[in-house]
Amino acid sequence: AQRVTQPEKLLSVFKGAPVELKCNYSYSGSPELFWYVQYSRQRLQLLLRHISRESIKGFTADLNKGETSFHLKKPFAQEEDSAMYYCALSGTPRAGNMLTFGGGTRLMVKP
Amino acid sequence: ETGVTQSPTHLIKTRGQQVTLRCSSQSGHNTVSWYQQALGQGPQFIFQYYREEENGRGNFPPRFSGLQFPNYSSELNVNALELDDSALYLCASSPQSGANVLTFGAGSRLTVL
């Protein structure tokens, strides 16, 4: 079975502070991991995926298979980063595009 | 390029009724997935449609069913509505089955009284 856990429902930081949103997963095979973001009054959208190994809006995430984690990090938070963040996992291709989402973490960046 | 559109945006039903939700996929996308998002939770996969057939299903009972049409649009049908079916229903499209980058619609919020 696939499972994604985001232990923090809410993360509040000041502008300019580092941010780390935690994501742990459970999957027996080789997963593909994603971070999706939902800004206020906007749709859920892809932020980044581990296979791309890129930085989007200053965010990075490294897949740690030993710790089964895919934490999202940004060295200096901005107010516009305030949003709901979801970690997601894609497992077996036979399940189509089945993404298993975590419960989400609300990031609040205070001025 | 048009995005994913869903209708209706909000609706209210009573227990035992049936509901149909509709989704138009993004231009160029032939695969549609449906997710249920209960309040305060992450989206849960219901099923996916590709080439007008169900191509993967999550842990949802048979009273959740769907269709995909030749133009790649899709419907989600829920029979015998229960209070716990109250949720935001999200449609997402992708350019092909197995492609994991999804484009989401704004959702249809269903309230069951």
Side-chain angles (χ1 to χ4, degrees):
Chain A
Q2 311 178 175
R3 181 182 290 248
V4 176
T5 303
Q6 294 179 249
E8 302 141 327
K9 285 284 190 187
L10 173 65
L11 183 62
S12 183
V13 301
F14 285 102
K15 177 181 173 182
V19 170
E20 182 178 49
L21 289 85
K22 291 183 168 51
C23 172
N24 290 92
Y25 68 89
S26 173
Y27 182 67
S28 56
S30 293
E32 189 172 357
L33 275 296
F34 306 81
W35 278 98
Y36 278 80
V37 61
Q38 187 166 27
Y39 300 103
S40 178
R41 298 187 183 85
Q42 294 189 27
R43 303 173 181 202
L44 193 59
Q45 59 185 282
L46 178 69
L47 179 62
L48 55 79
R49 54 195 302 197
H50 89 270
I51 63 172
S52 299
R53 295 187 158 273
E54 57 190 345
S55 173
I56 304 293
K57 299 184 178 182
F59 285 98
T60 59
D62 291 319
L63 178 60
N64 185 324
K65 292 187 178 181
E67 295 183 358
T68 59
S69 68
F70 187 57
H71 303 327
L72 183 68
K73 300 177 184 179
K74 185 170 183 176
F76 307 104
Q78 303 298 315
E79 289 182 69
E80 55 265 31
D81 296 328
S82 295
M84 197 73 189
Y85 291 80
Y86 294 95
C87 182
L89 175 155
S90 177
T92 171
R94 289 178 297 173
N97 286 16
M98 175 179 171
L99 288 182
T100 299
F101 284 86
T105 297
R106 180 169 298 282
L107 175 64
M108 292 179 57
V109 182
K110 297 176 288 189
Chain B
E1 178 179 284
T2 57
V4 177
T5 59
Q6 293 187 242
S7 64
T9 54
H10 295 84
L11 69 166
I12 299 174
K13 293 284 188 177
T14 57
R15 274 187 308 173
Q17 285 189 313
Q18 177 264 343
V19 68
T20 297
L21 308 178
R22 295 177 176 83
C23 171
S24 294
S25 60
Q26 180 168 306
S27 177
H29 288 187
N30 61 14
T31 302
V32 173
S33 302
W34 287 91
Y35 288 79
Q36 180 196 65
Q37 186 173 21
L39 199 60
Q41 298 182 22
Q44 273 196 289
F45 177 73
I46 302 175
F47 43 54
Q48 179 192 87
Y49 276 84
Y50 171 65
R51 291 185 174 177
E52 301 178 48
E53 291 191 359
E54 189 179 287
N55 177 40
R57 188 179 183 93
N59 189 26
F60 280 83
R63 61 189 184 85
F64 285 77
S65 63
L67 287 172
Q68 186 180 32
F69 300 99
N71 66 354
Y72 309 129
S73 67
S74 177
E75 287 182 356
L76 164 65
N77 299 288
V78 187
N79 293 323
L81 284 168
E82 301 176 0
L83 296 180
D84 285 349
D85 295 333
S86 295
L88 181 68
Y89 288 85
L90 296 169
C91 174
S93 70
S94 56
Q96 62 188 49
S97 177
N100 290 318
V101 178
L102 303 182
T103 300
F104 281 89
S108 294
R109 183 163 296 283
L110 171 64
T111 301
V112 182
L113 302 177

